[in-house]
Amino acid sequence: MSTAEREDLIGVIVRDHRDVEQVFSELEDRTADPKRRRELADHVIAELVRHSVAEEQYLYPAARKHLSNGDEIADHEIEEHSQAELLMKQLEGLDATDPKFDQLLGNLMDSIRHHVEDEETDLLPKLESVMDEQELVSLGRKVTKAKRTAPTRPHPQAPDKPPANRILAPGAGMIDRMRDKLEGRRT
């Protein structure tokens, strides 16, 4: 079974990474219809926000708990999320024909690819080596559940650490999904 097929924390996170990379590959085709590229950008932003919220709720607290340098790793990863979220906020609403769109999108993709590499070569293997299977499976389920209620739009000022993020994210997610529906935004 490949890592992305697993239902534990590692599998859920890696599967999300692969899904985002697939959308990035489509977005890199600058000859595609601008409307389609805008829809893909909205979709990938929603997925990245959901993923980030879930990581901040469960993955990084696990790193803090189980790894001797967990605080340092988690703080670094959260800082990368913050930087990516600012890029996503700038991309929000930009027309795909705007020259800034491709520049910001390229910066976002570079940032996310770096972040994914960090997690997959450092954080996830370290966690896998110190956590038992039952806890990894439990956290995988929690991450999946958190993504269902997480926001779909960037909120750079939102809290990124428990317990505040676990309390506020579902409310922001509900408002985002209402906005998405009213604006016809497919996420």
Side-chain angles (χ1 to χ4, degrees):
M1 176 184 308
S2 77
T3 303
E5 292 174 323
R6 295 168 35 185
E7 293 303 319
D8 65 2
L9 175 66
I10 310 301
V12 170
I13 298 297
V14 169
R15 190 168 37 256
D16 282 356
H17 291 169
R18 296 302 165 271
D19 291 346
V20 164
E21 182 56 41
Q22 187 175 350
V23 178
F24 281 174
S25 293
E26 257 190 275
L27 280 164
E28 287 175 321
D29 178 6
R30 293 182 180 191
T31 64
D33 176 59
K35 182 179 178 195
R36 172 72 178 145
R37 290 187 77 225
R38 178 70 255 173
E39 288 171 354
L40 286 169
D42 288 342
H43 170 73
V44 83
I45 286 170
E47 291 307 310
L48 288 168
V49 170
R50 287 181 183 125
H51 178 83
S52 295
V53 166
E55 284 186 337
E56 290 168 5
Q57 289 179 355
Y58 296 103
L59 176 63
Y60 303 145
R64 291 180 195 284
K65 177 181 175 183
H66 293 283
L67 303 177
S68 61
N69 63 340
D71 286 334
E72 179 186 330
I73 291 172
D75 290 344
H76 172 76
E77 299 297 330
I78 288 170
E79 177 57 32
E80 288 186 351
H81 280 191
S82 296
Q83 292 169 4
E85 200 157 8
L86 290 172
L87 289 168
M88 288 185 271
K89 191 69 177 170
Q90 292 174 46
L91 261 170
E92 209 175 33
L94 262 185
D95 192 276
T97 59
D98 187 316
K100 287 186 195 174
F101 181 84
D102 284 324
Q103 177 191 359
L104 290 168
L105 189 60
N107 292 344
L108 177 65
M109 290 189 292
D110 289 345
S111 172
I112 297 300
R113 284 173 171 148
H114 167 80
H115 179 76
V116 165
E117 184 177 339
D118 276 356
E119 283 187 352
E120 291 187 13
T121 60
D122 186 40
L123 176 57
L124 296 178
K126 284 180 178 176
L127 282 176
E128 187 173 30
S129 72
V130 297
M131 293 176 69
D132 66 49
E133 185 178 342
Q134 184 177 3
E135 190 172 11
L136 287 169
V137 168
S138 174
L139 286 175
R141 289 181 184 136
K142 289 176 181 177
V143 164
T144 299
K145 184 177 178 184
K147 286 172 39 185
R148 287 188 208 117
T149 60
T152 60
R153 295 167 184 254
H155 297 276
Q157 303 306 317
D160 51 23
K161 294 179 184 157
N165 64 353
R166 289 185 188 163
I167 295 166
L168 298 175
M174 182 180 70
I175 291 167
D176 284 355
R177 284 184 297 284
M178 287 174 26
R179 282 181 64 199
D180 293 344
K181 188 170 183 111
L182 288 170
E183 294 174 11
R185 182 176 182 232
R186 293 178 22 201
T187 57

